[in-house]
Amino acid sequence: MNSSHGKHLTNPAPVIVFLLVATIWHFVVVLFKIPPIILPGPIAVANALWQERMVLLKASWITLQAAAVGLLCSAIFGSLIAVVFSQSSLLRIALYPYVIFLQTVPIVAIAPLLIIWSGNNFRTIVLVATIISIFPVIANVTSGLLSINENLRELFQMQSASRWQTLTKLRIPAAIPQLVLGLRVSSGLSVIGAIVAEFFVGNSGEYDGLGTIMTSRQANLKTAELIAALMACTCLGIILFGLVNLLSATLLRRWTRHSGFESDK
Amino acid sequence: MGPTLLEANSPIAESAQPIISCNAVRLAFGTKANAQTVLNDLSLAVYQGQIVSLLGPSGCGKSTLLRVIAGLIEADEGSVMVDGAKVARQMPRAAREKMSFVFQEPALLPWRTVWQNVMLPSQLRGVQQQTKVKDLVEHLLGLVGFQRSDWSKFPSQLSGGMKMRASIARAMSTQPTILLLDEPFAALDDMLRSKLNDLLLTIASEQKCTMLFVTHNISEAIYLSDAIAVMSQGRIAERLKVPFAFPRQASLRSTPEFAAYYGQVATSLARGHS
């Protein structure tokens, strides 16, 4: 969202850490003669990654779509729920405990249920990704809509602004930074949600995401391929997080612009 | 106790009705058991065209009084009348729209440009004559010192002084009869403060509006006002008529008469405080 993020991207330190960890990993595997079924070395994993690249790419694309649609649903429905909460304290008090339930529900426990209801399909994966990633949006946007600067509220009150005007011209724009903050947390959660749901969808051939690939590799004790899929998951999380950051940089341009201070004449 | 009369400079005003009148206003914050009196049987009258400063130490209730007059906070007892209308939280639009408020902080919307910020009040009021408003806003932005090229800047690109100038232009954009100012320059340095004091006097004489100005800066209170209401512990402790004629120049501040009057006001302030 600001230039320091750009600087992080060009810094070689993370690459050095990666190489260091891979080297240690390699020597640990060789020195302790760890069987590849337990822990394959980095070279074996790199091999698996290369051989499975088309399968992984295709699966990653499907999972990315599911996670992204889930995140989008969280953004839309989470914000709508937050708007409702900001307008009615009665509804907020009545429903907030159930929103917290969304956050604390063990997704592993309800995913099988959702599959029974909704089927072995993309829709179910999106549903699970949404359920797991909606809470940070609701919580952040609600607080953003409600914690309006006192003077700004009075400014609107002085103009006899209607509830609708105050919502659309003050509360919603003021809550945009909070929405972005919520989406950053949610982006990681939506990937987790999609993959966890894919574990349960199973390898039926109807749907092939990263999670389904992982369960099938695990069942066949293809550990190197499993780790390769794991890496794809990580990349996916980073990509979605990056997309959200890009979005936030665009959305928050006005809130964070700090160029050339004009001195007072 | 009747309204505390503040003599106006103009002879017409003395016979006229006050434009702002507070009568035996009481207000307490907190629970009944643990009530903290903020305004204690306060009465005040301000006449059309006057600039009156409410001077007092922090916590004496001057900002609260300003909000009661604006109808942002409702008094527990007593009455507040503005231009013949009774002030309340739910008051007629027309009555409230005669007033404008300048806050202690600039209170600009960070996602709107300077121009959009100054246009906001007219937008919220649904003012129909767009060209008339635009002409006025253009004029005001020039008056407060904005170059045309700065109109499209966002608040984050402005210095504290420029933000406050935009905030003043916004307050004037609805052509208020009454301008209420809540320590608007408290966060600015002395140089900037005196520049903005001059700006405020220019605006007051040009736009012919009544001003009620809250401050704890004695020099500012004297320089700006027709009259000073010294506030202490929730009431007007003393009212002073400022003996300097308008228009005033910055050089007035360095005259011995100003210094002597400063001493007099400081003494009243200390008296009210003890």
Side-chain angles (χ1 to χ4, degrees):
Chain A
M1 85 187 238
N2 51 41
S3 58
S4 68
H5 278 267
K7 276 177 205 147
H8 284 313
L9 287 177
T10 52
N11 196 315
V15 180
I16 294 169
V17 170
F18 176 81
L19 291 175
L20 206 68
V21 170
T23 312
I24 293 168
W25 174 13
H26 176 77
F27 283 108
V28 166
V29 169
V30 172
L31 282 175
F32 295 96
K33 298 191 175 63
I34 298 173
I37 213 166
I38 306 294
L39 181 64
I43 296 165
V45 171
N47 256 329
L49 209 53
W50 179 249
Q51 263 156 29
E52 299 245 286
R53 63 188 186 278
M54 288 322 287
V55 179
L56 287 178
L57 266 177
K58 214 179 128 207
S60 298
W61 174 236
I62 291 169
T63 306
L64 178 66
Q65 280 177 304
V69 175
L71 185 63
L72 191 69
C73 288
S74 285
I76 293 167
F77 295 113
S79 299
L80 283 176
I81 291 169
V83 167
V84 171
F85 281 179
S86 77
Q87 294 302 298
S88 159
S89 58
L90 180 69
L91 280 177
R92 188 167 68 246
I93 291 162
L95 296 177
Y96 212 76
Y98 301 99
V99 173
I100 294 171
F101 167 79
L102 279 180
Q103 192 206 17
T104 53
V105 65
I107 199 68
V108 183
I110 62 157
L113 194 62
L114 289 170
I115 287 165
I116 292 174
W117 289 340
S118 176
N120 276 337
N121 52 36
F122 187 75
R123 187 180 59 201
T124 311
I125 311 291
V126 169
L127 196 62
V128 174
T130 305
I131 289 172
I132 204 170
S133 66
I134 201 168
F135 180 77
V137 176
I138 299 177
N140 276 291
V141 178
T142 304
S143 106
L145 290 167
L146 291 177
S147 53
I148 299 294
N149 174 302
E150 184 73 20
N151 287 345
L152 292 180
R153 258 206 343 246
E154 290 177 335
L155 171 73
F156 273 65
Q157 210 181 327
M158 285 303 289
Q159 317 307 332
S160 310
S162 67
R163 197 174 246 259
W164 176 251
Q165 283 179 319
T166 310
L167 178 66
T168 54
K169 291 200 171 8
L170 179 61
R171 290 187 190 277
I172 289 177
I176 297 287
Q178 293 279 64
L179 168 66
V180 169
L181 209 68
L183 282 180
R184 284 197 178 169
V185 179
S186 295
S187 66
L189 290 174
S190 71
V191 173
I192 294 172
I195 291 167
V196 167
E198 285 168 357
F199 286 167
F200 290 95
V201 164
N203 205 4
S204 61
E206 286 174 62
Y207 180 92
D208 277 311
L210 277 178
T212 41
I213 301 272
M214 285 171 87
T215 43
S216 107
R217 298 300 177 265
Q218 184 223 10
N220 299 320
L221 291 178
K222 290 183 167 179
T223 313
E225 285 78 358
L226 182 58
I227 295 176
L230 196 78
M231 288 180 158
C233 293
T234 312
C235 288
L236 210 61
I238 293 171
I239 288 170
L240 205 59
F241 184 76
L243 286 176
V244 170
N245 266 343
L246 208 70
L247 183 79
S248 76
T250 326
L251 272 178
L252 295 186
R253 227 179 35 236
R254 289 184 180 189
W255 279 258
T256 55
R257 188 187 329 231
H258 285 292
S259 64
F261 252 62
E262 192 73 3
S263 66
D264 200 85
K265 278 154 267 172
Chain B
M1 182 175 145
T4 306
L5 296 185
L6 286 162
E7 290 169 52
N9 278 350
S10 83
I12 327 150
E14 278 168 37
S15 57
Q17 281 285 98
I19 191 161
I20 302 171
S21 75
C22 303
N23 219 323
V25 171
R26 280 176 191 279
L27 178 67
F29 286 149
T31 56
K32 258 188 190 154
N34 188 21
Q36 207 189 344
T37 306
V38 186
L39 299 177
N40 187 8
D41 195 23
L42 183 145
S43 296
L44 171 76
V46 178
Y47 290 92
Q48 174 97 44
Q50 274 191 320
I51 303 179
V52 175
S53 283
L54 284 170
L55 184 66
S58 303
C60 69
K62 51 195 193 308
S63 290
T64 308
L65 174 60
L66 207 63
R67 282 174 165 73
V68 168
I69 292 169
L72 294 169
I73 302 175
E74 206 151 339
D76 296 335
E77 282 174 48
S79 73
V80 179
M81 304 283 285
V82 164
D83 205 6
K86 194 166 166 32
V87 172
R89 246 180 114 82
Q90 302 294 329
M91 59 196 283
R93 276 188 92 108
R96 168 165 282 161
E97 289 182 357
K98 284 181 181 151
M99 294 184 273
S100 243
F101 205 106
V102 178
F103 300 93
Q104 194 168 354
E105 47 171 315
L108 300 172
L109 304 182
W111 54 87
R112 282 176 168 245
T113 61
V114 168
W115 173 265
Q116 291 168 332
N117 263 296
V118 178
M119 290 293 287
L120 178 76
S122 315
Q123 248 176 40
L124 292 176
R125 290 179 182 189
V127 175
Q128 295 303 316
Q129 295 146 300
Q130 283 294 322
T131 47
K132 212 177 140 192
V133 174
K134 277 178 186 160
D135 288 347
L136 176 67
V137 168
E138 277 189 28
H139 171 71
L140 286 170
L141 280 172
L143 190 65
V144 299
F146 272 94
Q147 307 279 333
R148 203 167 265 267
S149 56
D150 292 341
W151 292 359
S152 56
K153 282 192 171 164
F154 287 94
S156 59
Q157 295 170 280
L158 301 175
S159 65
M162 289 308 273
K163 280 184 207 167
M164 195 37 88
R165 285 167 191 263
S167 183
I168 292 170
R170 178 180 63 193
M172 296 308 300
S173 70
T174 51
Q175 292 187 290
T177 339
I178 298 164
L179 188 61
L180 306 167
L181 303 105
D182 183 16
E183 300 196 51
F185 311 135
L188 305 177
D189 63 67
D190 282 351
M191 279 283 288
L192 205 53
R193 183 194 281 260
S194 69
K195 270 186 207 166
L196 289 178
N197 284 348
D198 283 327
L199 172 66
L200 213 54
L201 286 181
T202 310
I203 290 174
S205 70
E206 194 200 278
Q207 303 286 317
K208 307 221 176 336
C209 67
T210 309
M211 287 193 191
L212 191 54
F213 187 91
V214 164
T215 182
H216 58 245
N217 183 308
I218 297 174
S219 161
E220 184 174 62
I222 299 171
Y223 188 72
L224 285 177
S225 334
D226 291 289
I228 296 173
V230 178
M231 242 186 116
S232 167
Q233 291 160 10
R235 54 166 78 212
I236 307 290
E238 203 165 344
R239 60 268 180 205
L240 306 161
K241 187 174 179 299
V242 180
F244 304 111
F246 286 96
R248 292 175 185 166
Q249 254 100 46
S251 58
L252 173 68
R253 289 179 203 263
S254 44
T255 60
E257 290 80 10
F258 193 88
Y261 192 66
Y262 184 102
Q264 206 181 318
V265 177
T267 312
S268 321
L269 195 59
R271 201 181 313 130
H273 197 42
S274 56

